[in-house]
Amino acid sequence: DGDAFATVTGLAATQDGTLYAVDSQLGVVRLDAQTGEVQEVFQPSIVTAPTDIAVDSDGVLYVADLACACVVVLTSEGIENGTIDGFNVREHLSLVVTADGQIFTADDNNVASNGRSLVNIAAHSLLALDNAGRVLALSPDGALWVLEGNTLEPLLQLNNLPPVNDITIDADNHLLLATATQGILIYDLNGQEIGQVGRVVPSFP
């Protein structure tokens, strides 16, 4: 629609092929995941410094935002429907939503479920769901953990990682890491690097 993305800080996809992007300037943008067509743009006033976005099976949107140190809840039409507060965040707040509607977040201190603290974790850790619905957490030092009840169990260690901006799990249960300098790195859950998509030219922003 003539408006370029300025700072995309999160993406979330639904099973029906809808893609949601959150952008600090544009707000929440709904797109067709196959064609890229922009279907709608939501600009909730409370979303000003977003770091992540998730969508549940009912189409409810959850946006992690640093300005309010909260998770903003939006209806599928983009209408504000409350917040989840109580986070300690300076640079990043990561979130995932499970199939049964549980909201897991990672702030500067801990992993929480629906706002209730579960276990301590390093700042700037990133969350993802594997194909079994388990919550995985990647620490900045490359340690990958799996959340079991109220504890984080070590899964594997990824060494010599460049800075990682986001993670997700694909249909083959491979770990995809969006990095700042090496494009997308792909690992299996045994810790073996099995692929790389794209690269970032060092002189380009």
Side-chain angles (χ1 to χ4, degrees), residues 3-202:
D3 290 325
F5 287 112
T7 308
V8 176
T9 53
L11 294 170
T14 65
Q15 295 294 325
D16 66 1
T18 300
L19 181 67
Y20 292 93
V22 65
D23 183 286
S24 59
Q25 300 298 316
L26 296 179
V28 178
V29 182
R30 184 170 67 202
L31 309 100
D32 184 301
Q34 299 301 314
T35 67
E37 177 189 359
V38 173
Q39 298 173 333
E40 200 159 1
V41 178
F42 310 130
Q43 294 183 308
S45 59
I46 195 173
V47 175
T48 59
T51 63
D52 206 357
I53 187 171
V55 58
D56 68 16
S57 57
D58 294 324
V60 177
L61 297 165
Y62 305 86
V63 179
D65 194 274
L66 293 183
C68 65
C70 71
V71 173
V72 180
V73 183
L74 304 171
T75 69
S76 58
E77 292 79 30
I79 299 170
E80 295 175 29
N81 193 27
T83 61
I84 301 171
D85 304 294
F87 300 107
N88 178 21
V89 290
R90 294 183 298 274
E91 296 181 356
H92 194 80
L93 178 61
S94 182
L95 71 98
V96 293
V97 179
T98 63
D100 62 1
Q102 278 189 286
I103 306 162
F104 288 91
T105 52
D107 64 10
D108 289 346
N109 295 323
N110 59 66
V111 174
S113 172
N114 292 353
R116 181 177 62 87
S117 177
L118 297 178
V119 61
N120 291 340
I121 198 168
H124 213 287
S125 294
L126 301 168
L127 301 182
L129 295 175
D130 70 6
N131 291 348
R134 300 183 303 173
V135 176
L136 305 183
L138 179 69
S139 300
D141 63 0
L144 186 67
W145 308 81
V146 59
L147 185 65
E148 300 284 0
N150 290 351
T151 61
L152 286 170
E153 299 293 340
L155 191 60
L156 54 92
Q157 177 69 45
L158 303 175
N159 295 315
N160 303 314
L161 281 181
V164 177
N165 297 323
D166 205 1
I167 65 172
T168 193
I169 305 291
D170 70 8
D172 297 316
N173 235 23
H174 295 149
L175 181 67
L176 279 66
L177 310 179
T179 74
T181 59
Q182 296 182 27
I184 298 171
L185 301 179
I186 305 172
Y187 291 83
D188 64 23
L189 290 187
N190 294 316
Q192 297 297 311
E193 184 177 343
I194 59 174
Q196 183 177 11
V197 180
R199 66 186 180 92
V200 176
V201 179

